[in-house]
Amino acid sequence: MKYALPKLNYSYQALEPYIDELTMTIHHSKHHQAYVDNLNAALDKHPELYEKSLPELLKNIDDLPSDIRVAVKNNGGGVYNHNFFWKILKNNPNGQPKGALMDAIVRDFGSYNAFKDAFAAAAKSRFGSGWAWLVVNAQHKLEIVSTANQDAVFHLGTPILTLDVWEHAYYLRYQNRRPDYINAFFQIIDWDAVSDLFLLSY
Ligand SMILES: [Fe+2]
């Protein structure tokens, strides 16, 4: 089946003032839509690949036909990463993780604030375009990593939280001030959704 732009379960204004309505509108309806359209255009050349899941395609990118390999890496990555991102967002000022997830954060980073600092540092230091992630790694520990462009994260662990640090994600409101956007991100994390992903990772 062809890929489709997922509906958000909140409005484009819902994340104000941390992410503004115009940024959300363009980010979802234009940027994300373009990744979906370009992924479908690539897979139309090899329609049997619609039978595989998107993670399966992205994990085995070198096995794809060479004429669509780069297009699937970039656009399939764009679809997967944005689908993931929208699901862990919620207007949630001063929200914090709870329960087993908070216990794991304290175990692996020392404290919630130390986790925030480390995540923000990864997001700030990703040069150019990319993503910061909290993953559960192969040793079942929480780890902060970052990826470039729309590269897949799976080889680094099972993702449970992410932040899009492409300029298209923040430029209209924050211009060059990526650190302000990163600080604002901690007010719009749906920690219940992250916790569900954490529990599923075991
Ligand atoms: Fe994006």
Side-chain angles (χ1 to χ4, degrees):
M1 218 168 67
K2 289 205 185 207
Y3 289 84
L5 186 69
K7 284 206 167 60
L8 302 182
N9 61 10
Y10 43 81
S11 73
Y12 287 144
Q13 310 168 15
L15 304 175
E16 290 268 11
Y18 309 107
I19 300 181
D20 58 287
E21 181 179 4
L22 183 59
T23 296
M24 282 301 294
T25 305
I26 295 172
H27 199 173
H28 179 257
S29 72
K30 305 290 185 198
H31 290 281
H32 191 173
Q33 181 72 60
Y35 291 119
V36 169
D37 294 343
N38 292 332
L39 176 60
N40 285 330
L43 294 178
D44 282 347
K45 296 176 189 162
H46 299 273
E48 70 280 5
L49 293 173
Y50 281 117
E51 286 166 32
K52 296 192 187 262
S53 72
L54 188 51
E56 238 181 310
L57 294 175
L58 296 171
K59 282 176 189 170
N60 302 292
I61 210 84
D62 291 337
D63 298 339
L64 295 180
S66 58
D67 62 322
I68 64 164
R69 196 173 296 152
V70 172
V72 172
K73 182 179 187 217
N74 291 338
N75 296 290
V79 170
Y80 179 88
N81 294 343
H82 286 91
N83 287 353
F84 193 100
F85 184 44
W86 307 134
K87 284 189 190 149
I88 56 87
L89 299 180
K90 175 188 174 181
N91 205 320
N92 188 20
N94 303 314
Q96 286 201 10
K98 291 182 267 197
L101 175 57
M102 184 59 129
D103 293 346
I105 284 174
V106 171
R107 178 194 69 200
D108 295 334
F109 301 105
S111 67
Y112 173 68
N113 281 334
F115 152 77
K116 271 174 73 177
D117 290 347
F119 190 91
K124 281 176 206 165
S125 62
R126 163 49 56 194
F127 184 74
S129 297
W131 298 75
W133 301 86
L134 179 63
V135 303
V136 179
N137 69 19
Q139 289 75 44
H140 298 290
K141 295 234 152 114
L142 292 175
E143 188 177 344
I144 291 162
V145 298
S146 79
T147 52
N149 303 312
Q150 300 296 3
D151 292 358
V153 70
F154 307 111
H155 62 293
L156 299 169
T158 304
I160 64 168
L161 174 71
T162 194
L163 176 61
D164 186 344
V165 295
W166 283 60
E167 281 190 346
H168 70 221
Y170 63 87
Y171 201 83
L172 295 177
R173 173 147 295 175
Y174 296 97
Q175 293 86 43
N176 59 313
R177 302 186 310 278
R178 188 193 286 188
D180 291 351
Y181 162 69
I182 295 166
N183 285 339
F185 172 63
F186 294 104
Q187 310 302 320
I188 52 164
I189 298 173
D190 184 346
W191 283 111
D192 290 335
V194 178
S195 184
D196 288 348
L197 291 167
F198 174 67
L199 296 173
L200 279 173
S201 75
Y202 281 88

